[in-house]
Amino acid sequence: QILFLLTIIVSALMIIFKKPILNLLFGSVEKDVMDSSLKYFSVSAFSYPFVSLFNTGCSSYRAMGNSRINFWASMVMLAINLVLKYIFIYRLKLGVTGAGLSSLIAYGVVGIILIASLHHVDNKVSINKFYVFEGTKKMIKSILGIGLPNGIENGMFQMGHILLQNLVSTLGTVAIASNALYSNISPLYHSLNSGFSLGITTFTAQCMGAGRPDEARFYMRHILKLTYIFTAANGILILIFSKQLISLYGLSPEVTRVGHKLLLMYITGAIFAYPSSFTYANALRGTGDTKFTMTVSLCSMFGVRIGLAYVAVKVFHMGIYGVQLVMILEWFEKGLIYHIRERRGKWQNIKVI
């Protein structure tokens, strides 16, 4: 309920102030790009409440240990999104508006179905009265103690990402297109890591809730090893077929060449540093150590990634490759900090409930 209301407020603010926001962040881009961005931003902002319903439903089923529901919900959402994108973009010629509208409808349909299914009494956790707020001060404090730091971290991370996109936009059309090109392929790698991250959060949270921090540490380390093994195998496959993947987009030779180099840098760095930077963080969040992960993430994003990226571009003139290199260095830095935190074991003393 709290999340849904907050996303409605955020959605309204984004729609009202869309032009000042985009002008502030990407004021130097071409007019056609800005016009398309305003259209897409407007439609996507309407989807925020439905995205919150989708994520709430998936999180609830994940907490109940029923990841099968999440899998099929994601598959249905993806299928609806892809079908509608084809209809809206290629048949109805709606362009970026169609792209945003398809995502809005997909999240809306599946999100509402997920929330409605939580009313079923056979669920371990069911919602009887969605529109009636129920809860104690202690419960609300516990929820906010976990949710607020995590929400601030995610919000500031996205803000940092936007600032980096603003930096990339000053490097020219080739850099913008190349960055977007490799970014569209990179989920083939980090989506697998995201699955392990969700699993490690659930395992560590359940172990800590049961008062067994030693088991939480065991699963933390075991799942991290599995993450490295499987994501490395996945990354090697992407590296082998990287040229074929890039060629699917049919872009100009220069954009293809730069995009291919960025993809090679991303996957190579991710194989060694991505799991420790992100999977470790989710493990610590599962123990309730959200304030620490928030602090590390914010300091790392604004102090290392953004700060050094501007130095690499403005001082050393390394262009888009400098931005990419700094991102990989930041992964190593965060992974090292999280590793030290896990070894010291201060998270074992945290009591969430």
Side-chain angles (χ1 to χ4, degrees):
Q1 294 169 332
I2 296 173
L3 178 61
F4 186 68
L5 291 174
L6 286 176
T7 51
I8 290 177
I9 295 172
V10 172
S11 178
L13 291 174
M14 293 299 103
I15 293 170
I16 294 172
F17 298 105
K18 60 183 178 182
K19 194 167 184 178
I21 291 173
L22 291 179
N23 281 330
L24 175 65
L25 297 173
F26 305 105
S28 60
V29 299
E30 292 85 352
K31 185 179 183 300
D32 291 340
V33 176
M34 179 59 71
D35 291 340
S36 297
S37 299
L38 287 169
K39 292 178 182 178
Y40 185 82
F41 191 83
S42 299
V43 178
S44 63
F46 278 105
S47 69
Y48 295 168
F50 299 113
V51 173
S52 72
L53 293 180
F54 178 83
N55 289 332
T56 300
C58 287
S59 298
S60 299
Y61 279 110
R62 192 178 302 115
M64 289 185 270
N66 192 349
S67 58
R68 181 172 58 88
I69 295 292
N70 294 348
F71 172 78
W72 286 111
S74 298
M75 291 298 101
V76 172
M77 190 270 291
L78 179 62
I80 295 174
N81 201 354
L82 289 176
V83 171
L84 291 181
K85 270 184 169 53
Y86 174 78
I87 295 173
F88 291 154
I89 296 175
Y90 294 103
R91 294 298 181 183
L92 300 181
K93 309 296 182 183
L94 295 179
V96 293
T97 302
L101 191 60
S102 63
S103 298
L104 188 157
I105 295 174
Y107 274 112
V109 170
V110 180
I112 292 172
I113 292 174
L114 280 173
I115 295 299
S117 67
L118 287 173
H119 286 266
H120 203 286
V121 294
D122 291 339
N123 292 324
K124 293 179 181 179
V125 178
S126 61
I127 300 176
N128 296 322
K129 301 175 182 178
F130 181 77
Y131 296 102
V132 178
F133 184 79
E134 297 177 336
T136 63
K137 290 183 179 181
K138 183 179 179 181
M139 182 189 72
I140 295 172
K141 184 179 179 181
S142 298
I143 293 173
L144 294 178
I146 297 295
L148 276 181
N150 199 34
I152 293 172
E153 177 184 347
N154 289 332
M156 291 298 99
F157 181 86
Q158 294 302 322
M159 178 61 68
H161 184 70
I162 291 173
L163 292 175
L164 287 174
Q165 291 297 315
N166 186 31
L167 176 62
V168 171
S169 69
T170 65
L171 300 176
T173 305
V174 172
I176 297 172
S178 301
N179 187 64
L181 175 59
Y182 103 84
S183 297
N184 285 333
I185 300 175
S186 61
L188 291 175
Y189 172 84
H190 65 67
S191 59
L192 180 60
N193 185 87
S194 298
F196 282 103
S197 295
L198 292 173
I200 202 171
T201 304
T202 303
F203 275 105
T204 54
Q206 290 180 349
C207 290
M208 292 296 289
R212 297 195 290 265
D214 290 340
E215 290 187 18
R217 169 168 278 168
F218 168 79
Y219 283 115
M220 195 183 296
R221 295 178 178 180
H222 183 65
I223 295 175
L224 183 64
K225 291 177 183 177
L226 291 176
T227 306
Y228 264 109
I229 292 171
F230 283 96
T231 55
N234 182 41
I236 291 171
L237 285 175
I238 296 174
L239 289 176
I240 293 172
F241 297 103
S242 59
K243 288 186 177 180
Q244 289 82 352
L245 291 170
I246 290 288
S247 64
L248 292 175
Y249 290 83
L251 298 175
S252 67
E254 182 64 13
V255 172
T256 300
R257 181 184 66 82
V258 176
H260 183 244
K261 287 185 177 180
L262 292 175
L263 181 63
L264 293 181
M265 291 177 66
Y266 177 90
I267 298 299
T268 302
I271 288 175
F272 295 100
Y274 199 96
S276 61
S277 178
F278 291 91
T279 306
Y280 245 148
N282 280 284
L284 292 173
R285 292 186 189 105
T287 68
D289 201 7
T290 54
K291 292 180 181 178
F292 178 81
T293 57
M294 177 192 70
T295 303
V296 171
S297 181
L298 294 183
C299 293
S300 183
M301 167 60 77
F302 291 96
V304 178
R305 186 184 293 194
I306 294 178
L308 292 183
Y310 272 87
V311 171
V313 172
K314 302 296 184 181
V315 178
F316 294 102
H317 307 290
M318 298 174 66
I320 187 65
Y321 300 119
V323 176
Q324 192 79 330
L325 180 60
V326 168
M327 178 181 69
I328 295 171
L329 291 175
E330 191 237 4
W331 290 346
F332 279 102
E333 170 258 333
K334 282 199 302 183
L336 178 61
I337 293 174
Y338 292 141
H339 175 72
I340 294 172
R341 181 71 169 184
E342 185 271 326
R343 297 288 294 183
R344 290 181 175 177
K346 290 184 177 180
W347 51 270
Q348 292 178 309
N349 301 319
I350 296 175
K351 297 288 184 181
V352 176
I353 297 176

